[in-house]
């Protein structure tokens, strides 16, 4: 039985996805790497996407060591460039005419101010817009699967901020790295909400996931003061003990459980547009992150930004 303390490998115990295809972004490290290994264990063909070729090759070798029968491919993907996202989507399409699981997992957190190749703020551009465009380009393959799931990695950090649709790329405000991460993770939930609304009739369901606080290289931009500030900020459910991000963290094999559960669980067969954590549906998501009108407006803004950037190429 799957519980809040299951590992990703325990979640896939007895699951057979032979003949199916799973795409995992950010598969070269942390939660993506663990998820890719667990999905490979199901017999699925797992396409590992990330920007660093040698890290991808190393991950593929690690998965083959752990799962000798694994069927894997690698695709280079840099979410900070829509031209690159386009090439990666084309490469994935060449490998797989149908995609059963798209795990939009790659991400950066609390980066110093920066812009992507297309001029987007780095966290919004990488975490949301890159995945928005990748997903849009892969819709034909997702629909062709006749039963597909899109799993967007969000975070309880979405509570740090709503996404400001009048200034999503921080052109008119002083940059705040915490709020920018929060906005990008809010966008990940809103994206799942609107994807599910648009695609459910074609057999595609979408989910947003909080993996917990997990020891990975995601925290590479955090100072000691940032850890303290975050611990003070992190709101908890009333009656729950406050989480101390300096102390209360999981390892990646446990952290990847919920996103893998989102990808494979029969419990979610007729469900979508939900926020998941601890291998269950959670209802303590910020209202602005699941507001359907807001989700539609973010979709329109994202489409406009990506189309504008592509036209400029
Ligand atoms: N760890 C946590 O506590 C936690 C909590 C809540 C939510 N999350 C979410 O979980 C997801 C995975 O995070 P993680 O903890 O596994 O982080 P991680 O260990 O830093 O791994 C992130 C992955 O994303 C890739 N990536 C980063 N920028 C990219 C880009 N521009 N193009 C393509 N790939 C890129 C990284 O590749 P490179 O090595 O090339 O950078 C790496 O493979 C993120 O979306 C994060 O927001 C994590």
């Amino acid at each position: 039985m799957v519980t809040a303390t299951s590992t990703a490998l325990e979640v896939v115990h007895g699951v057979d996805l032979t003949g199916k295809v799973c795409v995992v972004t950010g598969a070269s490290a942390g939660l993506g790497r663990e998820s890719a290994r667990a999905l490979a264990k199901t017999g699925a063909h797992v396409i590992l996407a990330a920007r660093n070729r040698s890290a991808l090759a190393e991950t593929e070798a690690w998965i083959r060591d752990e799962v000798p029968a694994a069927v894997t491919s690698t695709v280079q993907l840099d979410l900070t460039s829509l031209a690159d996202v386009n090439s990666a989507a084309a490469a994935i399409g060449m490998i797989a005419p149908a995609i059963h699981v798209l795990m939009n997992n790659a991400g950066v957190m609390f980066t110093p101010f920066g812009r992507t190749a297309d001029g987007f703020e780095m966290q919004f551009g990488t975490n949301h817009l890159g995945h928005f465009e990748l997903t849009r380009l892969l819709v034909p393959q997702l629909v062709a699967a006749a039963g597909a799931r899109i799993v967007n990695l969000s975070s309880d950090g979405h509570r740090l901020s709503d996404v400001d649709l009048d200034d999503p790329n921080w052109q008119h405000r002083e940059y705040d790295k915490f709020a920018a991460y929060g906005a990008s993770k809010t966008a990940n939930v809103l994206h799942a909400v609107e994807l599910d609304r648009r695609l459910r009739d074609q057999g595609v369901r979408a989910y947003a996931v909080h993996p917990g606080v997990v020891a990975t290289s995601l925290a590479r931009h955090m100072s000691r003061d940032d850890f303290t500030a975050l611990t003070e900020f992190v709101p908890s459910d009333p009656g729950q003990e406050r989480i101390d991000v300096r102390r209360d963290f999981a390892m990646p094999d446990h952290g990847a459980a919920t996103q893998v559960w989102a990808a494979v669980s029969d419990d979610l067969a007729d469900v979508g547009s939900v926020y998941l954590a601890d291998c269950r549906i959670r209802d303590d998501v910020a209202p602005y992150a699941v507001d359907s009108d807001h989700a539609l407006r973010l979709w329109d803004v994202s489409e406009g930004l990506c189309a504008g950037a592509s036209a400029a190429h």
Side-chain angles (χ1 to χ4, degrees), residues 25-33 49-52 55 77-81 84 104-109 122 126-127 131 152-157 181 184-185 188 209-220 249-250 252 259:
T25 72
S28 61
L31 297 168
R33 181 177 150 105
R51 61 182 158 179
N52 181 320
L77 163 73
D78 187 347
L79 293 159
T80 66
S81 155
D84 206 275
N104 289 325
N105 163 85
V108 290
M109 182 173 77
M122 188 60 73
T126 307
N127 298 351
H131 283 125
N152 278 2
L153 263 289
S154 177
S155 166
D156 272 2
Y181 181 69
S184 74
K185 292 289 123 181
N188 293 146
V209 169
H210 169 61
V213 178
V214 191
T216 67
S217 49
L218 190 70
R220 63 168 76 88
F249 53 79
Q259 63 206 77

Side-chain angles (χ1 to χ4, degrees), residues 161-280:
S161 174
D162 190 3
V163 53
D164 181 345
L165 296 181
D166 293 325
D167 188 21
N169 284 309
W170 296 81
Q171 289 162 304
H172 309 296
R173 292 168 292 159
E174 192 179 337
Y175 181 65
D176 176 331
K177 65 182 181 181
F178 294 108
Y181 181 69
S184 74
K185 292 289 123 181
T186 294
N188 293 146
V189 189
L190 291 166
H191 183 212
V193 167
E194 183 60 14
L195 277 169
D196 194 74
R197 190 186 73 76
R198 285 177 184 247
L199 297 176
R200 70 172 72 120
D201 288 347
Q202 295 172 79
V204 183
R205 304 308 306 252
Y207 311 87
V209 169
H210 169 61
V213 178
V214 191
T216 67
S217 49
L218 190 70
R220 63 168 76 88
H221 296 290
M222 286 179 75
S223 65
R224 186 182 286 267
D225 287 350
D226 288 344
F227 276 101
T228 307
L230 209 61
T231 288
E232 281 172 12
F233 171 80
V234 173
S236 310
D237 294 339
Q240 262 192 1
E241 205 181 315
R242 181 174 283 281
I243 291 170
D244 185 336
V245 297
R246 295 163 300 191
R247 192 194 59 206
D248 301 326
F249 53 79
M251 298 312 285
D253 56 340
H254 282 98
T258 301
Q259 63 206 77
V260 171
W261 183 73
V264 307
S265 176
D266 288 341
D267 295 351
L268 297 170
D270 299 313
V271 187
S273 192
V274 283
Y275 186 73
L276 311 172
D278 297 330
C279 296
R280 64 185 170 89

